[in-house]
Amino acid sequence: MLEERTLRILVVSDHAEPTPELREAIRHRAAAGGVQFRLIVLNPARAELHLLHPERHDKATEAEQTLRAALPQLEQAAGAPVIGSVSVRHDPMDAIEETIYSEPVDEIMLAIPAHHVSTWLHQDLPHRLRHFDLPVTVVGAAPTD
């Protein structure tokens, strides 16, 4: 008899404070059972700043404090501990690739607004993630201009 293993879900958000939609998506996915959530919050510093720029680290520290305060909400939704951190990366693709290459991931949940132009060109994040051959769930999928 094969033993079922826990699926690891990478949740990527551009906000350290989880939205009600994200909490509900986590609650819904956790209800299926056998999952563990790993949340990566994108660095809120401006994208053009160098990785070693002090503002990038200051913004990450602020976001980390917000995330630490919000983790109990996510853990309540998940019904289990949630691993959360703020990425040094601002770009979601960079943060996702860095995580996938350093730890096992079975699914991806995105809580990042899409943009119309990138969606029309099929250059939006869900399309770009297809080469990982992982299920991708988009939370709050309404595109922005």
Side-chain angles (χ1 to χ4, degrees):
M1 177 177 192
L2 289 176
E3 194 174 311
E4 286 194 34
R5 69 174 182 82
T6 301
L7 297 178
R8 293 152 302 226
I9 301 176
L10 174 61
V11 180
V12 182
S13 176
D14 60 349
H15 288 89
E17 179 68 36
T19 63
E21 294 85 6
L22 178 57
R23 289 192 306 270
E24 183 54 37
I26 287 174
R27 183 176 292 109
H28 178 73
R29 184 60 186 89
V35 296
Q36 176 186 21
F37 294 95
R38 165 77 160 99
L39 171 65
I40 299 288
V41 175
L42 301 176
N43 192 304
R46 298 183 318 247
E48 65 273 8
L49 291 178
H50 186 275
L51 285 176
L52 299 177
H53 192 283
E55 181 181 329
R56 189 176 279 271
H57 294 281
D58 292 345
K59 295 281 188 180
T61 299
E62 291 172 20
E64 191 79 38
Q65 291 169 347
T66 302
L67 175 61
R68 293 288 158 236
L71 273 178
Q73 297 172 42
L74 292 173
E75 290 176 339
Q76 182 180 13
V82 173
I83 301 165
S85 64
V86 176
S87 176
V88 69
R89 309 284 181 193
H90 177 79
D91 181 83
M93 191 68 180
D94 290 344
I96 291 167
E97 285 179 334
E98 188 173 76
T99 304
I100 285 176
Y101 294 138
S102 66
E103 59 189 75
V105 172
D106 298 301
E107 297 179 27
I108 301 171
M109 185 179 288
L110 299 174
I112 302 168
H115 297 279
H116 282 296
V117 174
S118 64
T119 302
W120 293 336
L121 297 174
H122 298 287
Q123 293 298 312
D124 58 313
L125 196 52
H127 278 94
R128 291 172 60 205
L129 292 171
R130 282 189 180 162
H131 74 276
F132 288 116
D133 199 26
L134 296 172
V136 175
T137 302
V138 179
V139 177
T144 60
D145 288 322

